[in-house]
Every structure is written in structure tokens, then in C-alpha cells.
Amino acid sequence: MSLRLGVPSKGRLMDKTFDWFASRGVTMQRSGSEREYAAEVAGADVTLMLLSAGEIPRELQTGRIHLGVTGSDLVRERIPAWDQVVAELAPLGFGFADLVIAVPKCWADVSTLDDLDAVAADFRAIHGQRLRIATKYHRLVREFLRDAGVADYQLVDSQGATEGTVAHGTAEAIADITSTGETLRANHLKILEDGLMHRSQATLFKSRNAEWTDESRAMLADLMRRLGLG
């Protein structure tokens, strides 16, 4: 038996994850072609599973993997009561992105969540429907706006270019991740002053639902020592 570790299967997230572990003495590499989701690990008793970043929260939740590297935003969005299901072992220092609420730049009088709440009420009174916010982060947005006291809105699912939904007339505002803000500015959007919901980064998570035997706990303790995580 070995620990099952899920890591992103391609792109910069995979490369940076491999680099992070390699710098701590645990070497990971693909075995076979890029079309094969197989990989090898040297330096630790770990079975590596290459998965999409979006699949990893589900695999952690079901306990099919012991450990997983993915964005903290995805874990919070896709796992109800996430902190009871997984534990954060280490932020990895890459894959940074902010989950924010953004509105049209031309809304000169809207700069805070209180302003957004007032606009949403006016919008419903005038148009007879709720103000639309496009997002793929339904759970996080609902919780954030509920805590902020914002009402009279509806969420519109967006799995593509969320920043373009306002220009296309399918939403009045958006909630999405951004790294630099350049795409928001290019689409004439501005972030609300208090519209930051979560600062995300790639994080190493432990599943509380996986099968943890004395042997696997000892393996985890050894891996943590190798990674310098105590």
C-alpha cells in the first residue's frame, strides 16, 4: 500500500507542482506520452494520480485519494463544509488568483457591496426581475453575498469567458477569479472595493475521508518530514 496523491494532469499547475515536490527531494515525472495519465514518483512511498484540477476536490471528498494538490477556491466551492472533509497541509506558493465581484466600470456610484445591494433593489423595481451575476462559483458567491446582506440578485451559470457576459447582455455583474485584473479592465469591469471573496492558491490537501491506517499515517508522517512540513 502507498499514499494516493492526486496532482493536476497538465499545464503550468502540473509543472509547478512537480517543481515544488522536486525542490524538497520528491521527484515526479510522467511515464509514457502526454496522452497517458501515468506518472512515477521517486523519494517517497506515493502512488501518483494525474487528474484535472477540478476532479481533485471530488476525489478528496470521496476518499479515493489520500492527498491532492488543487486550487483552494475549487475545494471551497465544490465540497460542502470543506474544512470537515479535508485539511490544508501546505499552501504551495503558486497558482494565485482572487475570487472577486466586479461590475461595469460605468456604474460610477457603485463601489461597495452596499451600493450593489441598492442597485439590485432598484433593478428589480424597474425591470421586474433580479439583477444577474454570472459565475461558476455558486456556493461561494451565495455565502459571500448572504453574509454581506445583498439580496435581489440571481446567479447565472457561466463556464466560459465570464468576463464577457456583461458585454454580451447575459448578466449585469460577474463573480470570477482574476490574477492581474487585466481581463476585467479590458471588458470595462471594476472590482468592488470590498468585493474580494477569496485569495486562492495551489494547496496540498489531506482527505479526512480516505482510509487512514497506522501504515498510511506513518507514510504521511514520513512524507511530511521529507517535505519539511513537520
Side-chain angles (χ1 to χ4, degrees):
M1 176 185 174
S2 60
L3 295 178
R4 297 185 301 278
L5 167 63
V7 304
S9 59
K10 58 185 177 182
R12 295 181 69 248
L13 273 181
M14 183 189 75
D15 294 339
K16 286 184 173 292
T17 299
F18 282 12
D19 291 345
W20 188 88
F21 278 91
S23 70
R24 290 159 176 80
V26 177
T27 303
M28 302 175 173
Q29 63 180 9
R30 278 184 176 275
S31 55
S33 71
E34 290 191 2
R35 293 182 181 274
E36 297 178 67
Y37 292 95
E40 300 172 344
V41 181
D45 195 1
V46 170
T47 297
L48 194 60
M49 302 179 68
L50 297 180
L51 304 165
S52 73
E55 288 178 311
I56 291 172
R58 181 191 66 210
E59 299 301 292
L60 288 165
Q61 184 177 17
T62 61
R64 283 191 287 263
I65 57 177
H66 294 90
L67 307 169
V69 173
T70 191
S72 55
D73 59 316
L74 294 176
V75 163
R76 284 163 170 76
E77 171 63 23
R78 300 189 179 189
I79 303 179
W82 67 272
D83 54 345
Q84 298 175 31
V85 177
V86 300
E88 291 186 347
L89 297 183
L92 304 190
F94 57 85
F96 292 104
D98 292 342
L99 179 58
V100 300
I101 301 280
V103 301
K105 194 173 181 180
C106 62
W107 289 9
D109 295 331
V110 180
S111 57
T112 66
L113 290 166
D114 283 343
D115 297 334
L116 180 64
D117 184 46
V119 165
D122 291 343
F123 187 90
R124 188 176 188 184
I126 295 169
H127 299 284
Q129 65 182 41
R130 296 178 185 271
L131 182 143
R132 299 166 298 175
I133 301 175
T135 189
K136 58 178 71 73
Y137 294 92
H138 292 242
R139 185 191 311 278
L140 288 175
V141 174
R142 284 198 187 96
E143 292 175 354
F144 181 74
L145 294 181
R146 179 199 63 207
D147 293 345
V150 178
D152 284 331
Y153 71 89
Q154 62 176 314
L155 297 183
V156 177
D157 189 54
S158 172
Q159 297 299 323
T162 304
E163 300 93 343
T165 56
V166 174
H168 296 154
T170 56
E172 284 72 51
I174 73 163
D176 201 14
I177 56 170
T178 181
S179 298
T180 64
E182 290 183 9
T183 304
L184 292 175
R185 289 189 290 272
N187 285 276
H188 310 292
L189 299 170
K190 63 180 180 181
I191 300 170
L192 295 180
E193 293 172 2
D194 51 357
L196 174 63
M197 286 178 273
H198 175 61
R199 291 191 183 279
S200 180
Q201 66 173 300
T203 302
L204 175 62
F205 291 96
K206 167 192 169 184
S207 170
R208 301 186 192 275
N209 291 340
E211 182 181 358
W212 289 101
T213 63
D214 290 343
E215 181 184 9
S216 59
R217 289 189 184 95
M219 290 176 181
L220 176 62
D222 179 66
L223 177 64
M224 297 289 279
R225 283 193 296 270
R226 290 173 182 270
L227 298 176
L229 299 177

